[in-house]
Amino acid sequence: MSNCVGTIASVKKYYGQTLRSTCDLKSSLSSSVCEALRPPPHIKRAITMVHDDVASRYFGCGLAIPFDQLEGVKILDLGCGSGRDCYVMSQLVGEDGYVTGVDMTKEQLDIARKYVDHHREKFGFKKSNVKFVEGFVEDMKEIEDSSIDIAISNCVVNLCEDKESVYKEVYRVLKPGGEFYFSDIYADSDVTEAAKNNEVLWGEGMGGALNWRTFHKLTSSVGFECPRIMTSFPVQMKHPEECINIITGDVKYVSVLYRMFKLDSDVIKTPCNVTYKGTIKYNQDELKFDLHLTFHTDDITTIDGITAATLRTSRFFQHFKFSEPVANGPEPVGLENPFDVIN
């Protein structure tokens, strides 16, 4: 890789100086995504409460905002930028929760910090529940071990050269049963050297995109349970003449929203029947756990051992009734090609 593309300085310049608003982005998801990614009413309402100066500098590639059981939890936003998702999460966790945003780009953080008091007043909070830290997601010294309930990230890990360090850091700061809920761009094969060395493609996540198989290997080696796909959408160039096909070759790209959990190695992983109580706010009728698994209120669902362990050790525990173990449960979530389940 060249000395100017893919480096910290290059990414800082792209997001601190080159991009001034969402309109400056050269890449986009397919046209069907805007419909499919429409947030539920309470998320949409929270987004509209964010100041326009903050929202106009939103450069995400998905909707990395969990919809379930957020009151009072501690959130970490990796690569928070100007803070849009932080201010959305601030409303959802409430005054008893807390949101920390980490970013390396001073220009973005200046915008985020400028509106801390504005949002506190608009949300009706006595004190702010948001702070912004200038730093690197590969080495988050400011964040204590096992202190975070949920880490989120929106199209940021693919901007980092040392992705393994990012996953290790997230694993370190999460509590047992904690969750990484994040959107990123992935490739169906190894990205070409030409794409890696193209400033626009790297800056917008395609040049640094992992082969999805490599992603699975890395997160597994760190200790995470198998990632669960929430959504998967193709990525296109809005201005193809600026990045001709010869740069990317035959590589295809997809934006995937994943959730994956940190489980202790000694936790019991036994299949069982569970019943969702319908007690999570805004999820009274059903709880979508991943692309393939939705719990319906008061229905009995047979789940695999890893899912059972996840529910027992995470923030979802109190919202389920657990039965005795079953002999023959379904197979756990396994390696899944996101290109096979494009929405």
Side-chain angles (χ1 to χ4, degrees):
M1 185 176 296
S2 71
N3 291 328
C4 62
V5 178
T7 63
I8 289 173
S10 173
V11 175
K12 274 188 174 183
K13 178 182 177 183
Y14 196 74
Y15 281 86
Q17 301 174 29
T18 303
L19 297 182
R20 293 297 182 181
S21 75
T22 305
C23 297
D24 294 330
L25 291 169
K26 308 299 182 185
S27 61
S28 69
L29 301 177
S30 66
S31 59
S32 64
V33 178
C34 292
E35 291 293 319
L37 283 183
R38 278 186 176 174
H42 71 288
I43 302 292
K44 185 176 182 179
R45 183 168 57 253
I47 292 174
T48 63
M49 293 282 282
V50 177
H51 195 284
D52 287 346
D53 283 356
V54 172
S56 68
R57 292 168 172 81
Y58 168 70
F59 303 123
C61 63
L63 186 63
I65 299 172
F67 301 161
D68 39 40
Q69 189 50 32
L70 301 176
E71 294 84 354
V73 305
K74 291 184 177 180
I75 304 282
L76 174 66
D77 185 357
L78 282 74
C80 63
S82 62
R84 192 205 75 160
D85 286 352
C86 286
Y87 286 123
V88 172
M89 298 302 297
S90 168
Q91 300 168 70
L92 300 177
V93 303
E95 285 189 275
D96 292 333
Y98 203 83
V99 182
T100 300
V102 176
D103 203 279
M104 67 177 183
T105 309
K106 181 181 183 299
E107 293 88 345
Q108 293 276 56
L109 290 177
D110 286 345
I111 296 295
R113 289 167 175 158
K114 179 179 178 180
Y115 294 101
V116 169
D117 285 338
H118 167 87
H119 289 101
R120 176 189 58 76
E121 294 175 3
K122 191 161 188 176
F123 302 159
F125 293 168
K126 293 181 180 179
K127 61 180 181 179
S128 177
N129 64 349
V130 175
K131 73 173 180 179
F132 297 98
V133 176
E134 186 171 351
F136 302 103
V137 297
E138 299 93 335
D139 186 13
M140 297 182 287
K141 299 182 179 70
E142 305 85 354
I143 312 301
E144 296 180 0
D145 294 0
S146 303
S147 62
I148 299 297
D149 296 295
I150 307 170
I152 65 171
S153 179
N154 203 329
C155 208
V156 168
V157 180
N158 40 215
L159 300 176
C160 303
E161 285 191 281
D162 188 359
K163 295 173 176 60
E164 184 177 8
S165 290
V166 179
Y167 298 133
K168 286 180 176 179
E169 279 292 89
V170 175
Y171 192 86
R172 176 185 66 79
V173 303
L174 283 176
K175 299 175 182 177
E179 173 182 6
F180 191 20
Y181 194 94
F182 61 108
S183 180
D184 254 326
I185 295 173
Y186 301 90
D188 66 345
S189 57
D190 291 342
V191 175
T192 67
E193 289 300 314
K196 291 178 183 178
N197 286 285
N198 182 279
E199 188 174 56
V200 171
L201 286 177
W202 187 280
E204 303 202 7
M206 299 166 76
L210 280 177
N211 182 325
W212 67 270
R213 298 172 185 84
T214 304
F215 161 72
H216 275 262
K217 291 177 182 177
L218 275 179
T219 54
S220 175
S221 69
V222 168
F224 282 105
E225 293 300 330
C226 194
R228 299 170 180 268
I229 295 176
M230 302 299 291
T231 60
S232 178
F233 297 106
V235 177
Q236 300 174 339
M237 295 301 296
K238 288 192 295 186
H239 307 289
E241 71 279 2
E242 297 185 35
C243 289
I244 55 178
N245 290 338
I246 195 170
I247 297 176
T248 58
D250 295 326
V251 178
K252 294 181 176 62
Y253 297 90
V254 66
S255 174
V256 188
L257 175 62
Y258 280 110
R259 76 186 323 169
M260 58 187 183
F261 292 85
K262 172 183 176 178
L263 301 182
D264 284 339
S265 57
D266 59 351
V267 67
I268 298 174
K269 301 174 182 176
T270 305
C272 68
N273 290 326
V274 297
T275 304
Y276 173 52
K277 301 177 184 179
T279 49
I280 295 178
K281 192 175 182 180
Y282 306 116
N283 295 267
Q284 287 87 349
D285 296 327
E286 64 179 30
L287 177 66
K288 181 180 178 181
F289 204 66
D290 60 40
L291 185 64
H292 306 296
L293 177 60
T294 297
F295 298 104
H296 298 277
T297 300
D298 296 331
D299 284 357
I300 298 174
T301 305
T302 304
I303 57 175
D304 64 87
I306 292 177
T307 301
T310 300
L311 293 180
R312 286 184 185 277
T313 59
S314 68
R315 67 189 191 279
F316 299 104
F317 173 70
Q318 62 182 313
H319 302 286
F320 284 84
K321 298 176 184 176
F322 294 83
S323 75
E324 295 297 320
V326 298
N328 298 307
E331 289 296 314
V333 173
L335 189 68
E336 184 169 33
N337 184 345
F339 290 87
D340 289 342
V341 292
I342 287 177
N343 297 78

